[in-house]
Amino acid sequence: MQNERLRAVMASGGWTHASLASVTGVDPKSVERWVNLGRTPRRATALKAAERLGEDIHALWPALRQARAARAVSPELVALYDQRADLPVSVFVDLLTAGRERIDILVYAAVFLHEAYPRLNDLLRERAADGCAVRIAVGDADSENVQQRGQEEKFGHGIESRCRLALLHYRSLASVPGIELRTHGTTLYNSLFRADDQVLVNAHVWGVNAYGAPVWHLRRHDSGGMFDTYADSFNAVWETALLVEA
């Protein structure tokens, strides 16, 4: 197969097989094979040729594009669950109980936690009393994005009701030192449950209720990894959220 891109670039610049061969240190026959047979030169030679031609090396020889090596499994991935409903609530409780410095919760509602574990507020009070900073962001039931989510999940006004219920569950914590409660109206791509260097990420899938969507458990491995991506996302939402007064 001929390399038509290389042929066109050489023609537009007035290059011949011989002249390009001269500046790249190869035989003219080699350049002819690059053009007419679609041969790919060695990377070092290709770099010289591309520089002389004023063209991107990968535009001339796509085969030289080096794909980034992929890891089979991220070192930050602790566990992956097909859907949130597969997780016993103890997984969430154990994670939050382990928090010593920071607990962050970002949801629209997630009332399943209070329903399955009525001591959730007591747990958060205890963590705050031990010096753990607790931040909770629940969905603003009146926001357009929450209402849109209800339509997408075919849940109607149910999601709005659950946001209001979640706020009722958490409201008593607004006056607790060390705990801050806010409401947000962002598009929620993932619900986050963080304790120090671990986080449970409940993905949101269009048209699927959160309990039927996957969850991955991450533990921070190095700075700049997946954990930090989600931590930064929480912080960005938190900056937009409105404080719930005690």
Side-chain angles (χ1 to χ4, degrees):
M1 181 181 294
Q2 297 182 352
N3 188 331
E4 294 296 343
R5 180 61 178 266
L6 177 58
R7 184 192 302 278
V9 170
M10 290 179 62
S12 65
W15 291 89
T16 65
H17 296 165
S19 62
L20 186 58
S22 176
V23 297
T24 54
V26 299
D27 187 273
K29 287 291 185 181
S30 295
V31 177
E32 183 180 355
R33 286 191 286 268
W34 299 348
V35 176
N36 295 328
L37 300 180
R39 298 284 178 83
T40 299
R42 295 178 181 274
R43 175 170 291 273
T45 303
L47 282 169
K48 289 182 183 179
E51 182 178 355
R52 290 292 187 147
L53 295 171
E55 184 63 64
D56 179 73
I57 183 176
H58 299 125
L60 294 175
W61 295 286
L64 292 175
R65 189 181 301 277
Q66 293 181 325
R68 185 177 180 180
R71 291 184 304 225
V73 179
S74 167
E76 294 186 280
L77 183 63
V78 176
L80 176 63
Y81 304 89
D82 290 346
Q83 53 186 14
R84 195 187 73 197
D86 293 337
L87 277 76
V89 73
S90 60
V91 173
F92 293 89
V93 173
D94 289 347
L95 179 83
L96 298 177
T97 301
R100 293 295 179 268
E101 298 181 359
R102 176 169 303 286
I103 289 175
D104 291 333
I105 298 174
L106 172 63
V107 296
Y108 269 165
V111 294
F112 74 93
L113 281 178
H114 281 98
E115 292 170 348
Y117 188 71
R119 286 199 66 257
L120 180 63
N121 282 8
D122 292 334
L123 186 160
L124 295 174
R125 288 190 186 95
E126 292 165 4
R127 301 311 321 124
D130 285 343
C132 184
V134 179
R135 298 186 294 178
I136 305 166
V138 300
D140 177 358
D142 296 320
S143 70
E144 292 183 2
N145 285 320
V146 167
Q147 294 169 8
Q148 180 67 29
R149 176 60 58 81
Q151 297 175 29
E152 292 171 353
E153 294 184 354
K154 300 179 175 60
F155 202 49
H157 296 295
I159 184 66
E160 300 163 37
S161 299
R162 293 176 77 81
C163 286
R164 292 189 174 93
L165 180 58
L167 188 57
L168 285 174
H169 280 308
Y170 286 116
R171 183 174 284 279
S172 64
L173 298 178
S175 60
V176 177
I179 298 180
E180 191 169 357
L181 176 62
R182 297 186 183 186
T183 58
H184 71 96
T186 64
T187 300
L188 191 63
Y189 298 104
N190 303 280
S191 294
L192 305 177
F193 307 86
R194 174 191 177 180
D196 296 337
D197 286 345
Q198 298 188 70
V199 63
L200 289 167
V201 181
N202 185 187
H204 290 292
V205 180
W206 196 94
V208 177
N209 195 284
Y211 63 76
V215 173
W216 40 92
H217 181 178
L218 302 176
R219 180 182 288 112
R220 178 187 270 135
H221 180 71
D222 288 315
S223 62
M226 288 196 298
F227 179 94
D228 286 341
T229 296
Y230 288 110
D232 291 345
S233 175
F234 179 96
N235 291 332
V237 173
W238 188 253
E239 290 301 316
T240 72
L242 300 177
L243 179 68
V244 175
E245 300 289 350

